Amino acid sequence: MVSDLAGLQRAIAQDPDRWRPLVFTNGCFDLLHAGHVRYLNAARALGRSLVVGLNSDQSVAGLKPARPGFPPRPIVPQAQRAEVLLALRAVAAVVIFEQPTATALIEALQPDIYVKGGDYQVETLPEAPAVFAGGGRIELVKIEVPSSTSGLVERILAARPQEP
């Protein structure tokens, strides 16, 4: 389900056995690829349910500023990105957020496990203090398929015929 934060908090409180241990991750998930799918499956395997904090269109635009010759980000609108994420078996709920970090969501949901890719370091995660304050732990998941939306866009643009 695409949830408003208050609705998701109620659902978790009313049926903790369905949700906990709660795993939480966040990101832009602009052009979903195999690396995302494997990452989300690995995250879900760490607990009972996986909630994805999805950066809003405005948030993505701030995190990934326009580059000359490239389309503005996000490429896929937030409602469609959420729909695609929810189609994955691993994802129980998606919450769209406006902030550049997921700290407020973590404080509100108090996940048991916060997951990020193995290219991150716990010491530099801005969300880490909120995770630990809520009694959670952080897991870094190995990146199995080194792919990125930015890399896919670059490959697509490089493959187009050059104008004379």
Side-chain angles (χ1 to χ4, degrees):
M1 72 174 119
V2 176
S3 299
D4 65 285
L5 181 56
L8 182 56
Q9 285 176 297
R10 279 191 304 277
I12 294 167
Q14 290 170 356
D15 193 2
D17 289 342
R18 175 179 176 238
W19 293 92
R20 296 214 180 262
L22 177 70
V23 181
F24 179 83
T25 193
N26 62 283
C28 301
F29 299 100
D30 198 358
L31 293 177
L32 207 65
H33 52 73
H36 288 135
V37 172
R38 290 186 189 183
Y39 167 76
L40 293 168
N41 284 333
R44 165 56 184 83
L46 295 170
R48 182 163 286 140
S49 64
L50 173 62
V51 173
V52 176
L54 182 65
N55 289 85
S56 70
D57 291 346
Q58 180 181 346
S59 176
V60 174
L63 292 169
K64 308 211 179 259
R67 292 170 44 193
F70 286 78
R73 299 286 298 276
I75 294 167
V76 178
Q78 66 191 30
Q80 293 178 27
R81 290 183 284 128
E83 183 177 338
V84 170
L85 285 168
L86 285 167
L88 300 175
R89 217 176 10 242
V91 179
V94 172
V95 178
I96 298 171
F97 68 101
E98 299 289 335
Q99 300 79 13
T101 73
T103 300
L105 284 179
I106 289 168
E107 290 170 347
L109 296 174
Q110 295 191 329
D112 302 286
I113 305 157
Y114 179 55
V115 177
K116 290 301 275 183
D119 53 337
Y120 286 89
Q121 295 178 345
V122 173
E123 304 78 36
T124 59
L125 285 174
E127 298 89 351
V131 173
F132 297 136
R137 74 177 199 265
I138 297 173
E139 294 286 338
L140 301 178
V141 173
K142 180 181 177 216
I143 296 174
E144 291 186 25
V145 179
S147 188
S148 71
T149 297
S150 297
L152 290 173
V153 170
E154 288 173 10
R155 286 181 40 214
I156 291 167
L157 292 174
R160 70 181 173 187
Q162 300 299 316
E163 295 181 19

